Amino acid sequence: METPTLVMAAHGARSGHWESVMESLAARVRRARPGARVELGFLEISSPLLADVLAGAPGPVVVVPMLLAGGYHAHIDLPAVVARTRPDAVVAGQLGPHPLLTSVLARRLAAAGLRPCDAVILGAGGSSDPAALDDVRAAARLLSVRLARPVTAAFASSGTPTVAEAMERARSGLAPRVAVASYLLAPGFFHDRLGRAGADLVGAPLGVDDDLAALVWTRFDEALTRRDPTGLPALAG
């Protein structure tokens, strides 16, 4: 039986560092399942473009959106590329929210020096889609349970509260310091904006992590099971 190719579908960015992190994450995903075929493609800006990767991938394909929440790219842009270039491919769910992401966020904050008395904000890029904002708020609730304290979801672009608004509210409270968890895959424009928001500490982006690689494979497996409710790899063979 032929194992489907996993295609990691990321957005793309005008940052060589961002692209390098995504390539390293793809390498980590490959190491998690030796022998499996894993490709990385981008919706725009970066290369290779997702359309080209899909067109060249042999055999059955499962596309895993490297997106932390729903929104235009998850529900409109990416499915349109798949429908146009590889209509036989199965598209998995986006990465977040998920407890594996919570684990990475907690480690990034701990590495940055989080203290038990710090206020915490989960900083995300944002979206004009209310459902995508709800996904981020759900991720904030998971992190709140993990850290045993309130966590406010805030947004660097579209969405309320903005990071600045959340910072102002946190500063008016009793916490001596404010920490921001970066709900982003890699360094870049939005992470830089979080760093300029005036927090006492900012966790690193999710980046290259074994838990994140495991989550990519979890979404891959879920997509196959959803295609075949018996749990058998329906795309194989």
Side-chain angles (χ1 to χ4, degrees):
M1 295 191 297
E2 187 175 3
T3 301
T5 296
L6 163 60
V7 175
M8 299 166 57
H11 179 266
R14 292 182 177 86
S15 166
H17 189 190
W18 188 93
E19 293 174 347
S20 176
V21 170
M22 296 307 300
E23 290 165 358
S24 296
L25 177 57
R28 185 72 61 93
V29 171
R30 292 186 187 99
R31 287 202 298 272
R33 290 193 185 179
R37 186 181 180 94
V38 177
E39 303 290 346
L40 173 65
F42 301 94
L43 285 166
E44 58 184 15
I45 304 173
S46 302
S47 62
L49 289 174
L50 176 62
D52 295 335
V53 172
L54 289 174
V61 170
V62 173
V63 179
V64 176
M66 301 303 294
L67 303 168
L68 299 174
Y72 175 81
H73 292 301
H75 302 310
I76 304 297
D77 195 15
L78 190 153
V81 173
V82 173
R84 186 170 62 249
T85 60
R86 196 63 185 262
D88 61 311
V90 174
V91 180
Q94 77 257 359
L95 297 178
H98 195 279
L100 286 170
L101 295 176
T102 307
S103 297
V104 182
L105 289 168
R107 286 199 298 277
R108 298 291 182 262
L109 285 173
L114 183 70
R115 299 174 184 171
C117 55
D118 293 337
V120 177
I121 294 168
L122 181 67
S127 173
S128 59
D129 184 341
L133 303 183
D134 286 343
D135 286 341
V136 177
R137 294 182 183 113
R141 290 193 292 273
L142 289 173
L143 185 58
S144 175
V145 172
R146 176 65 62 88
L147 299 178
R149 75 191 78 181
V151 174
T152 300
F155 305 94
S157 58
S158 300
T160 56
T162 65
V163 175
E165 290 168 342
M167 283 290 303
E168 183 177 359
R169 293 175 193 171
R171 291 292 188 200
S172 67
L174 299 177
R177 304 194 311 171
V178 180
V180 173
S182 181
Y183 197 50
L184 300 164
L185 285 176
F189 175 76
F190 287 123
H191 183 71
D192 291 343
R193 290 188 66 175
L194 296 181
R196 293 193 297 267
D200 297 288
L201 62 95
V202 179
L206 294 160
V208 183
D209 191 277
D210 286 340
D211 278 347
L212 188 50
L215 177 56
V216 172
W217 283 115
T218 294
R219 295 307 191 208
F220 174 92
D221 294 336
E222 289 171 348
L224 292 183
T225 302
R226 192 168 62 246
R227 168 59 73 90
D228 179 8
T230 67
L232 297 175
L235 295 183

